[in-house]
Amino acid sequence: MSGRFSVGEKVRVQDWDPPNEPRKPHLRTPYYIRGKIGEIERICGDFRNPEALAYGEDGLPKQTLYRVRFDQTHVWPNYAGPPQDKVEIEIYEHWLEPAAGDSSP
Amino acid sequence: MTDHAHLRHGVKDNHYKRLAIAVRELLIEKGVVTEDEIATFMARMDARSPELGARMVARAWVDPEYKKRMLADGSAAAEELGIAVDGTLLVVVENTEDVHNLFVCTLCSCYPRTILGLPPDWYKGREYRSRVINEPRAVLREFGTDIADGIELRVHDSTADMRYLILPQRPAGTEGWSEDRLAKLVTRDSMIGVSLPLRPDQLDQLEHAAE
């Protein structure tokens, strides 16, 4: 199994917004998590990239998929619950960059 | 059982229903699929129900070794009980004294259909999908589920190739119960994480009401 990140590593989700033209990729990274910093919870394996797969293409090369854990209070500035609450979400590797030097969350 | 009518939003749309029928008829007309294939596939989907997930949960409650395997590899644990998980991978997460889990698909309506059957309408609705990610405790209260402030609440957003199953805590007062009896406590909603499993007295009530 490939993958440039390891479990426990701090990562930032890219704050991309790919244009609609010539075509909007079939994105699986919700807006609310873009630009946020979390920690790799587990490595799920390598999967065909749905951004191209959804258009009937082969989606190769495969992308490593991670589950990333975030503090809710970091994701939502107005979060009403206690500080230990988490959101965990699947993110493909090309959406992640190292965030080891960042102080937040 | 509470009726979550307030969580239902825009999931029935006659336009899309008509579109689906039109596409289906065209696919048959053009020989891409046959009526038989569609009927077989639908029968296969209809045969799936939360009872499959409940069997897995009950087994995990009585067999600690099975539980370990299930938490390490949900798909393999399903297949061990003869339940095929096609295409996606199953991740099982465990509720404990300190952690409560629930899942959602904020982007669309990904759901562990092979383990739980078809999703409830509210699961696919806009309100659940948008609110449960940023005010999960409020949404849980509307389902009648109070999670104490000291417990860590984890929301799992099913965005890609994983599907989720929540392993609820075994209810008190069920010592010595058979696996079949335990499985009756495991509701669909408790495996999504919006409710807790039935207590023995609640199961008694249900069974009396059914008589």
Side-chain angles (χ1 to χ4, degrees):
Chain A
M1 198 177 291
S2 70
R4 59 188 279 231
F5 302 110
S6 42
V7 173
E9 200 172 338
K10 262 192 180 183
V11 289
R12 182 202 306 276
V13 183
Q14 308 271 8
D15 195 7
W16 290 331
D17 193 9
N20 290 328
E21 301 299 332
R23 72 175 192 197
K24 187 85 167 177
H26 181 62
L27 300 177
R28 304 308 300 170
T29 308
Y31 280 98
Y32 74 83
I33 214 68
R34 298 183 196 175
K36 303 295 182 190
I37 296 171
E39 191 179 286
I40 303 288
E41 189 267 342
R42 76 176 77 179
I43 302 168
C44 303
D46 297 340
F47 297 89
R48 289 167 187 258
N49 187 348
E51 292 170 19
L53 199 58
Y55 285 93
E57 296 167 9
D58 62 14
L60 298 173
K62 286 186 177 181
Q63 284 286 336
T64 303
L65 182 68
Y66 300 88
R67 279 172 41 79
V68 188
R69 178 179 289 175
F70 301 84
D71 287 334
Q72 285 279 36
T73 51
H74 168 62
V75 175
W76 309 102
N78 65 346
Y79 189 69
Q84 74 274 18
D85 286 1
K86 303 287 190 294
V87 54
E88 297 187 6
I89 167 167
E90 297 151 47
I91 314 222
Y92 292 95
E93 184 166 283
H94 62 290
W95 276 86
L96 298 173
E97 60 184 17
D102 287 291
S103 53
S104 71
Chain B
M1 191 98 350
T2 327
D3 185 0
H4 306 295
H6 61 290
L7 281 170
R8 292 191 185 134
H9 255 270
V11 285
K12 287 212 168 74
D13 187 319
N14 287 330
H15 169 74
Y16 290 111
K17 199 172 179 178
R18 282 200 296 270
L19 184 66
I21 293 169
V23 169
R24 187 174 75 196
E25 286 175 354
L26 272 171
L27 287 171
I28 292 167
E29 200 179 300
K30 292 185 179 296
V32 179
V33 291
T34 64
E35 296 235 30
D36 271 358
E37 283 168 342
I38 292 177
T40 306
F41 184 80
M42 286 171 72
R44 229 171 63 204
M45 287 310 301
D46 286 345
R48 307 285 182 156
S49 81
E51 279 168 35
L52 299 173
R55 270 174 54 205
M56 293 176 66
V57 170
R59 174 67 58 88
W61 282 347
V62 300
D63 182 347
E65 287 304 313
Y66 179 77
K67 183 172 106 174
K68 264 189 219 162
R69 295 197 293 278
M70 181 182 188
L71 295 176
D73 185 342
S75 301
E79 271 150 31
E80 203 179 306
L81 300 191
I83 304 163
V85 183
D86 331 302
T88 51
L89 292 177
L90 187 69
V91 173
V92 181
V93 288
E94 182 187 17
N95 288 346
T96 65
E97 294 290 324
D98 307 314
V99 178
H100 183 87
N101 296 278
L102 66 88
F103 69 82
V104 61
C105 173
T106 60
L107 291 175
C108 45
S109 56
C110 298
Y111 189 78
R113 289 169 185 242
T114 50
I115 307 290
L116 298 184
L118 295 175
D121 283 349
W122 56 258
Y123 181 85
K124 299 183 280 184
R126 208 169 267 269
E127 188 178 351
Y128 177 75
R129 287 167 43 217
S130 57
R131 289 185 56 217
V132 86
I133 195 76
N134 110 320
E135 46 170 343
R137 286 170 184 265
V139 172
L140 285 179
R141 274 194 295 274
E142 290 167 28
F143 278 94
T145 308
D146 248 313
I147 302 299
D149 270 357
I151 292 175
E152 177 179 326
L153 184 64
R154 287 188 196 152
V155 179
H156 302 268
D157 192 354
S158 184
T159 44
D161 293 84
M162 305 294 117
R163 295 294 176 270
Y164 295 89
L165 183 74
I166 310 301
L167 171 58
Q169 279 188 282
R170 180 170 171 166
T174 59
E175 294 72 20
W177 282 32
S178 72
E179 232 174 287
D180 284 349
R181 183 95 182 123
L182 285 169
K184 290 189 170 40
L185 300 169
V186 187
T187 60
R188 176 196 69 200
D189 287 4
S190 73
M191 292 182 281
I192 301 174
V194 294
S195 301
L196 302 179
L198 298 175
R199 297 184 311 265
D201 62 298
Q202 289 173 315
L203 181 61
D204 280 346
Q205 268 178 22
L206 273 181
E207 288 181 335
H208 280 115
E211 273 165 16

